[in-house]
Amino acid sequence: MVAEAPAPETAAAGSVARIMTVAYELFSRRGVRDVGVNELIERSGVAKATFYRHFPSKDSLVLAFLEQRDKQWTVDAILSEARRRGNTPTERLLAIFDVFGDWFLREDFEACSFINVLLEMGPAHPLGQASIDYLARIRGHVQALAEEAGLQRPDEFARSWHILMKGSIISATEGDMQAAKRAQKMAGWLIEHHR
Amino acid sequence: MVAEAPAPETAAAGSVARIMTVAYELFSRRGVRDVGVNELIERSGVAKATFYRHFPSKDSLVLAFLEQRDKQWTVDAILSEARRRGNTPTERLLAIFDVFGDWFLREDFEACSFINVLLEMGPAHPLGQASIDYLARIRGHVQALAEEAGLQRPDEFARSWHILMKGSIISATEGDMQAAKRAQKMAGWLIEHHR
DNA sequence: ACAACGGGGAAGACCGGTCTGTCTTCCCTT
DNA sequence: AAGGGAAGACAGACCGGTCTTCCCCGTTGT
């Protein structure tokens, strides 16, 4: 049975947009391997031929999803929010873990898609490689904040900081709701040692 | 079941042992979703009926693998080795990241199966739950070492420590070979703050 | 103005392959 | 004679991907 009849106006709007919306929802919540093309097209009310006209393969849709995730989650949801919450570069760095703390509490917390895809596909797979690239972008943002804060050896700083981010995400997936606070405490020490 | 028949336990035990050996190899390297029953039985030279006589389902084999992984990797390869390398409880804690450093350099580095399965299956799936349990066991070992070292709030300590362990593993999967050193530095600060 | 045309999308059959799991057949050993 | 194991066919479901069919709608030619 069809979930819901696609409204005419949404049908008029781009099929690509609907596919991307559904893909973002399903991929971020359940991973990319667990979601098949048939489910994607059914839930976005699109014909299979239409899907394959816009995306040459499922993997290319996953690539588009990862890029969307970078914009929508990494940049808009996490980094912009952290920049908004802090007044100084140091505060903004630490605010990342405040945002994480709120994020971990969400009912529909879905972990980090880049880590998920990297571990699902392996670092050798093109999608794993793409995930590694996007994770490097995150590290780049942290490094930029470190440079704004005038910290020493910003590359090393960002790599250590990223360990705390990723470790806390895994701990939150296990159910530790205080993971962000713990990571933030260690993050504070890390800042001290890079001043 | 039959209790009297002496049974060719060499054959039966041989089959189970061969299946477990192959499963450990393939599951730890490629994850559990990527390895099918057909490949498992082919590479262990066992009939399908034999496989399903000893394991009621693939998932039960995965559970057995996770238990084996806990014994063979967590306890024997990591924790015992760390205990061997350090002379004091504190040294032994820090030595975990020395062992990690060596492990990250291995050509066939395969990340942490518990994290892999947790993210592959999700925290709600029985196999994800089992992975969470085994990760908690790891934290228990760390907590025991913390208590031996007389550190304060050993539970909190172990949870923070575990963040460093998991984060460094993900970073190593991305290709950062120095991840263990970075985590070890932060781990040192963590010890200082729990004295 | 109206009919013919044509393109895009929806629906879904279809293909070859995979998956887990069952069941049959035959052989080998005891 | 009997039972376990190897081999593998088989079932039923799913996978990604191709292709056909039909329909709706806008354009165009007359």
Side-chain angles (χ1 to χ4, degrees), chain B residues 113-186:
Chain B
S113 293
F114 304 130
I115 298 176
N116 286 340
V117 174
L118 172 59
L119 295 190
E120 255 183 318
M121 312 305 293
H125 191 282
L127 294 178
Q129 275 294 324
S131 299
I132 289 177
D133 293 343
Y134 283 114
L135 287 168
R137 284 176 61 98
I138 296 178
R139 237 171 36 233
H141 292 295
V142 173
Q143 183 172 337
L145 278 168
E147 285 163 357
E148 287 180 42
L151 298 181
Q152 298 175 338
R153 288 166 285 119
D155 174 73
E156 283 182 39
F157 174 87
R159 287 182 183 274
S160 295
W161 190 274
H162 206 192
I163 289 176
L164 296 172
M165 290 174 65
K166 289 175 288 194
S168 66
I169 289 171
I170 305 293
S171 288
T173 305
E174 287 173 68
D176 183 1
M177 294 302 167
Q178 311 301 319
K181 286 263 173 262
R182 301 181 211 287
Q184 192 176 46
K185 197 170 286 183
M186 293 187 276

Side-chain angles (χ1 to χ4, degrees), chain B residues 12 45-48 50 53:
Chain B
V46 142
K48 216 169 196 181
T50 305
R53 185 172 308 119

Side-chain angles (χ1 to χ4, degrees), chain A residues 18-32:
Chain A
R18 261 180 306 148
I19 293 171
M20 281 302 296
T21 302
V22 171
Y24 188 94
E25 184 80 3
L26 297 184
F27 283 160
S28 59
R29 285 189 206 277
R30 288 166 38 198
V32 296

Side-chain angles (χ1 to χ4, degrees), chain A:
Chain A
M1 92 180 78
V2 180
E4 43 191 356
E9 63 272 14
T10 56
S15 309
V16 174
R18 261 180 306 148
I19 293 171
M20 281 302 296
T21 302
V22 171
Y24 188 94
E25 184 80 3
L26 297 184
F27 283 160
S28 59
R29 285 189 206 277
R30 288 166 38 198
V32 296
R33 275 187 120 139
D34 199 46
V35 179
V37 174
N38 290 320
E39 183 176 0
L40 280 165
I41 64 169
E42 188 193 337
R43 296 182 69 149
S44 50
V46 141
K48 215 169 195 181
T50 305
F51 175 90
Y52 278 103
R53 185 172 308 117
H54 296 299
F55 299 96
S57 66
K58 181 192 171 185
D59 279 8
S60 76
L61 173 66
V62 176
L63 280 178
F65 155 69
L66 291 175
E67 190 185 331
Q68 183 78 0
R69 182 80 176 172
D70 178 64
K71 288 190 190 123
Q72 199 161 325
W73 180 80
T74 305
V75 174
D76 291 345
I78 305 293
L79 291 166
S80 299
E81 177 65 14
R83 284 195 113 98
R84 203 187 58 76
R85 291 198 195 187
N87 295 317
T88 67
T90 299
E91 281 180 14
R92 286 169 177 156
L93 276 168
L94 287 169
I96 291 176
F97 290 104
D98 288 329
V99 182
F100 268 27
D102 295 346
W103 176 44
F104 293 169
L105 288 174
R106 288 185 54 175
E107 196 57 42
D108 57 345
F109 168 68
E110 5 59 350
C112 169
S113 294
F114 305 130
I115 298 176
N116 286 340
V117 173
L118 171 59
L119 295 191
E120 255 183 316
M121 312 304 293
H125 191 282
L127 295 178
Q129 273 295 324
S131 299
I132 289 176
D133 293 342
Y134 285 113
L135 287 168
R137 283 175 61 99
I138 296 178
R139 236 172 35 233
H141 292 294
V142 173
Q143 182 172 339
L145 278 167
E147 284 163 358
E148 288 180 40
L151 297 181
Q152 297 174 338
R153 288 166 286 119
D155 174 74
E156 282 182 39
F157 174 87
R159 288 182 182 274
S160 296
W161 190 273
H162 206 194
I163 289 175
L164 295 173
M165 292 174 66
K166 290 174 287 194
S168 67
I169 290 172
I170 306 293
S171 288
T173 306
E174 288 174 69
D176 183 0
M177 294 302 167
Q178 311 301 318
K181 287 267 173 257
R182 302 182 211 288
Q184 193 176 46
K185 195 170 287 183
M186 293 187 276
W189 306 331
L190 182 64
I191 289 177
E192 289 303 315
H193 281 80
H194 278 265
R195 269 200 221 282

